[in-house]
Tab-separated table of all heavy atoms in Angstrom:
chain	number	residue	atom	x	y	z
A	1	GLU	N	1.398	-4.843	10.765
A	1	GLU	CA	1.450	-5.949	9.817
A	1	GLU	C	0.043	-6.353	9.380
A	1	GLU	O	-0.870	-6.510	10.193
A	1	GLU	CB	2.166	-7.140	10.467
A	1	GLU	CG	2.284	-8.374	9.605
A	1	GLU	CD	3.392	-8.260	8.560
A	1	GLU	OE1	4.132	-7.262	8.578
A	1	GLU	OE2	3.514	-9.186	7.738
A	2	GLY	N	-0.129	-6.515	8.059
A	2	GLY	CA	-1.388	-7.004	7.514
A	2	GLY	C	-2.440	-5.949	7.218
A	2	GLY	O	-3.488	-6.265	6.663
A	3	TYR	N	-2.164	-4.695	7.573
A	3	TYR	CA	-3.154	-3.638	7.366
A	3	TYR	C	-2.935	-2.954	6.018
A	3	TYR	O	-1.839	-2.908	5.480
A	3	TYR	CB	-3.069	-2.601	8.490
A	3	TYR	CG	-3.761	-3.028	9.758
A	3	TYR	CD1	-3.181	-3.982	10.603
A	3	TYR	CD2	-4.993	-2.495	10.121
A	3	TYR	CE1	-3.819	-4.385	11.774
A	3	TYR	CE2	-5.629	-2.886	11.287
A	3	TYR	CZ	-5.036	-3.828	12.107
A	3	TYR	OH	-5.663	-4.231	13.254
A	4	TYR	N	-4.042	-2.387	5.487
A	4	TYR	CA	-3.969	-1.602	4.255
A	4	TYR	C	-3.471	-0.194	4.570
A	4	TYR	O	-3.771	0.364	5.614
A	4	TYR	CB	-5.349	-1.498	3.603
A	4	TYR	CG	-5.869	-2.807	3.084
A	4	TYR	CD1	-6.913	-3.462	3.726
A	4	TYR	CD2	-5.326	-3.396	1.940
A	4	TYR	CE1	-7.399	-4.671	3.254
A	4	TYR	CE2	-5.798	-4.606	1.463
A	4	TYR	CZ	-6.843	-5.244	2.124
A	4	TYR	OH	-7.314	-6.428	1.654
A	5	PHE	N	-2.722	0.374	3.626
A	5	PHE	CA	-2.229	1.734	3.825
A	5	PHE	C	-1.776	2.299	2.488
A	5	PHE	O	-1.594	1.577	1.506
A	5	PHE	CB	-1.076	1.747	4.828
A	5	PHE	CG	0.223	1.201	4.290
A	5	PHE	CD1	1.292	2.043	4.005
A	5	PHE	CD2	0.388	-0.162	4.045
A	5	PHE	CE1	2.483	1.555	3.513
A	5	PHE	CE2	1.571	-0.654	3.557
A	5	PHE	CZ	2.625	0.195	3.292
A	6	THR	N	-1.596	3.617	2.452
A	6	THR	CA	-1.024	4.297	1.295
A	6	THR	C	0.417	4.632	1.623
A	6	THR	O	0.675	5.428	2.525
A	6	THR	CB	-1.805	5.581	0.968
A	6	THR	OG1	-3.151	5.236	0.637
A	6	THR	CG2	-1.172	6.312	-0.206
A	7	PRO	N	1.381	4.036	0.921
A	7	PRO	CA	2.792	4.262	1.266
A	7	PRO	C	3.260	5.645	0.854
A	7	PRO	O	2.646	6.328	0.031
A	7	PRO	CB	3.520	3.178	0.470
A	7	PRO	CG	2.619	2.885	-0.679
A	7	PRO	CD	1.217	3.090	-0.188
A	8	LYS	N	4.376	6.060	1.461
A	8	LYS	CA	5.001	7.307	1.049
A	8	LYS	C	5.393	7.221	-0.422
A	8	LYS	O	5.840	6.189	-0.903
A	8	LYS	CB	6.252	7.577	1.886
A	8	LYS	CG	5.979	8.073	3.288
A	8	LYS	CD	7.289	8.424	3.970
A	8	LYS	CE	7.048	9.039	5.331
A	8	LYS	NZ	8.312	9.417	5.979
A	9	GLY	N	5.247	8.317	-1.125
A	9	GLY	CA	5.582	8.329	-2.542
A	9	GLY	C	4.826	9.435	-3.241
A	9	GLY	O	4.329	10.378	-2.613
A	10	ASN	N	4.695	9.318	-4.559
A	10	ASN	CA	4.071	10.359	-5.356
A	10	ASN	C	2.629	10.074	-5.706
A	10	ASN	O	2.005	10.858	-6.410
A	10	ASN	CB	4.878	10.560	-6.650
A	10	ASN	CG	6.292	11.019	-6.371
A	10	ASN	OD1	6.514	11.811	-5.460
A	10	ASN	ND2	7.243	10.514	-7.129
A	11	ASP	N	2.080	8.943	-5.271
A	11	ASP	CA	0.722	8.575	-5.657
A	11	ASP	C	-0.132	8.321	-4.424
A	11	ASP	O	-0.047	7.261	-3.801
A	11	ASP	CB	0.744	7.323	-6.542
A	11	ASP	CG	-0.608	7.067	-7.200
A	11	ASP	OD1	-1.587	7.738	-6.811
A	11	ASP	OD2	-0.672	6.207	-8.090
A	12	PRO	N	-0.987	9.287	-4.042
A	12	PRO	CA	-1.845	9.081	-2.873
A	12	PRO	C	-3.016	8.152	-3.142
A	12	PRO	O	-3.824	7.915	-2.252
A	12	PRO	CB	-2.336	10.500	-2.559
A	12	PRO	CG	-2.345	11.194	-3.879
A	12	PRO	CD	-1.184	10.621	-4.649
A	13	CYS	N	-3.130	7.635	-4.369
A	13	CYS	CA	-4.238	6.740	-4.716
A	13	CYS	C	-3.825	5.276	-4.718
A	13	CYS	O	-4.531	4.431	-5.267
A	13	CYS	CB	-4.815	7.132	-6.075
A	13	CYS	SG	-5.716	8.701	-6.045
A	14	LEU	N	-2.684	4.958	-4.141
A	14	LEU	CA	-2.276	3.563	-3.997
A	14	LEU	C	-2.753	3.024	-2.651
A	14	LEU	O	-2.675	3.712	-1.634
A	14	LEU	CB	-0.758	3.428	-4.072
A	14	LEU	CG	-0.099	3.522	-5.445
A	14	LEU	CD1	1.411	3.424	-5.300
A	14	LEU	CD2	-0.611	2.437	-6.366
A	15	SER	N	-3.221	1.796	-2.660
A	15	SER	CA	-3.577	1.100	-1.426
A	15	SER	C	-2.822	-0.217	-1.418
A	15	SER	O	-2.950	-1.021	-2.348
A	15	SER	CB	-5.092	0.852	-1.353
A	15	SER	OG	-5.413	0.175	-0.152
A	16	CYS	N	-2.009	-0.417	-0.376
A	16	CYS	CA	-1.145	-1.591	-0.300
A	16	CYS	C	-1.386	-2.330	1.017
A	16	CYS	O	-1.972	-1.788	1.957
A	16	CYS	CB	0.324	-1.195	-0.398
A	16	CYS	SG	0.755	-0.232	-1.860
A	17	THR	N	-0.879	-3.539	1.091
A	17	THR	CA	-0.902	-4.321	2.325
A	17	THR	C	0.494	-4.326	2.929
A	17	THR	O	1.480	-4.512	2.217
A	17	THR	CB	-1.353	-5.766	2.048
A	17	THR	OG1	-2.642	-5.745	1.445
A	17	THR	CG2	-1.414	-6.567	3.346
A	18	CYS	N	0.579	-4.107	4.224
A	18	CYS	CA	1.869	-4.128	4.914
A	18	CYS	C	2.271	-5.574	5.189
A	18	CYS	O	1.545	-6.311	5.861
A	18	CYS	CB	1.783	-3.343	6.224
A	18	CYS	SG	3.336	-3.319	7.155
A	19	HIS	N	3.437	-5.979	4.676
A	19	HIS	CA	3.936	-7.339	4.890
A	19	HIS	C	5.426	-7.278	5.149
A	19	HIS	O	6.210	-6.875	4.277
A	19	HIS	CB	3.644	-8.212	3.669
A	19	HIS	CG	4.160	-9.626	3.799
A	19	HIS	ND1	3.694	-10.500	4.761
A	19	HIS	CD2	5.121	-10.296	3.110
A	19	HIS	CE1	4.322	-11.649	4.649
A	19	HIS	NE2	5.202	-11.551	3.657
A	20	ASN	N	5.844	-7.636	6.351
A	20	ASN	CA	7.263	-7.623	6.736
A	20	ASN	C	7.908	-6.263	6.491
A	20	ASN	O	9.036	-6.169	6.009
A	20	ASN	CB	8.036	-8.713	5.996
A	20	ASN	CG	7.670	-10.104	6.452
A	20	ASN	OD1	7.212	-10.309	7.576
A	20	ASN	ND2	7.850	-11.080	5.575
A	21	GLY	N	7.169	-5.207	6.810
A	21	GLY	CA	7.709	-3.870	6.661
A	21	GLY	C	7.749	-3.362	5.235
A	21	GLY	O	8.351	-2.331	4.958
A	22	GLU	N	7.113	-4.068	4.305
A	22	GLU	CA	7.100	-3.681	2.891
A	22	GLU	C	5.665	-3.504	2.416
A	22	GLU	O	4.767	-4.240	2.828
A	22	GLU	CB	7.753	-4.771	2.043
A	22	GLU	CG	9.216	-5.009	2.332
A	22	GLU	CD	10.098	-4.210	1.410
A	22	GLU	OE1	9.616	-3.197	0.874
A	22	GLU	OE2	11.252	-4.601	1.233
A	23	PRO	N	5.417	-2.535	1.509
A	23	PRO	CA	4.101	-2.456	0.871
A	23	PRO	C	3.998	-3.485	-0.244
A	23	PRO	O	4.831	-3.523	-1.151
A	23	PRO	CB	4.070	-1.018	0.323
A	23	PRO	CG	5.493	-0.629	0.162
A	23	PRO	CD	6.301	-1.429	1.141
A	24	GLU	N	2.995	-4.345	-0.168
A	24	GLU	CA	2.808	-5.381	-1.175
A	24	GLU	C	1.350	-5.402	-1.626
A	24	GLU	O	0.475	-4.832	-0.989
A	24	GLU	CB	3.207	-6.754	-0.628
A	24	GLU	CG	4.696	-6.870	-0.320
A	24	GLU	CD	5.118	-8.274	0.048
A	24	GLU	OE1	4.213	-9.135	0.177
A	24	GLU	OE2	6.325	-8.514	0.182
A	25	MET	N	1.100	-6.084	-2.770
A	25	MET	CA	-0.247	-6.234	-3.344
A	25	MET	C	-0.940	-4.878	-3.457
A	25	MET	O	-2.029	-4.664	-2.927
A	25	MET	CB	-1.088	-7.207	-2.508
A	25	MET	CG	-0.529	-8.620	-2.482
A	25	MET	SD	-1.540	-9.780	-1.558
A	25	MET	CE	-1.267	-9.198	0.100
A	26	CYS	N	-0.274	-3.953	-4.141
A	26	CYS	CA	-0.784	-2.585	-4.236
A	26	CYS	C	-1.827	-2.462	-5.346
A	26	CYS	O	-1.690	-3.049	-6.422
A	26	CYS	CB	0.363	-1.611	-4.494
A	26	CYS	SG	1.578	-1.560	-3.157
A	27	VAL	N	-2.853	-1.694	-5.080
A	27	VAL	CA	-3.922	-1.414	-6.039
A	27	VAL	C	-4.033	0.095	-6.177
A	27	VAL	O	-3.984	0.826	-5.184
A	27	VAL	CB	-5.267	-2.010	-5.559
A	27	VAL	CG1	-6.379	-1.649	-6.540
A	27	VAL	CG2	-5.158	-3.513	-5.413
A	28	ALA	N	-4.169	0.564	-7.425
A	28	ALA	CA	-4.270	1.995	-7.676
A	28	ALA	C	-5.702	2.380	-8.027
A	28	ALA	O	-6.386	1.652	-8.743
A	28	ALA	CB	-3.332	2.404	-8.803
A	29	ALA	N	-6.150	3.515	-7.531
A	29	ALA	CA	-7.450	4.071	-7.899
A	29	ALA	C	-7.254	5.098	-9.011
A	29	ALA	O	-6.248	5.792	-9.064
A	29	ALA	CB	-8.106	4.733	-6.691
A	30	LEU	N	-8.235	5.171	-9.914
A	30	LEU	CA	-8.233	6.177	-10.971
A	30	LEU	C	-9.304	7.209	-10.639
A	30	LEU	O	-10.429	6.853	-10.303
A	30	LEU	CB	-8.512	5.534	-12.326
A	30	LEU	CG	-7.498	4.475	-12.774
A	30	LEU	CD1	-7.887	3.910	-14.131
A	30	LEU	CD2	-6.105	5.059	-12.835
A	31	CYS	N	-8.943	8.475	-10.748
A	31	CYS	CA	-9.829	9.549	-10.294
A	31	CYS	C	-10.506	10.228	-11.474
A	31	CYS	O	-9.899	10.431	-12.531
A	31	CYS	CB	-9.035	10.601	-9.507
A	31	CYS	SG	-8.115	9.924	-8.125
């Protein structure tokens, strides 16, 4: 809980915060 992570999916450039088992406040990087 509360840590940043990249959730499972098709975009490895997403960084989200874990909140109650959900990825929230996601930010995407452009390469």
Side-chain angles (χ1 to χ4, degrees):
E1 179 78 6
Y3 280 75
Y4 293 108
F5 74 108
T6 298
K8 284 185 175 182
N10 298 322
D11 192 349
C13 290
L14 284 178
S15 180
C16 305
T17 302
C18 180
H19 179 63
N20 290 335
E22 296 266 23
E24 294 187 354
M25 297 182 290
C26 297
V27 177
L30 299 180
C31 305

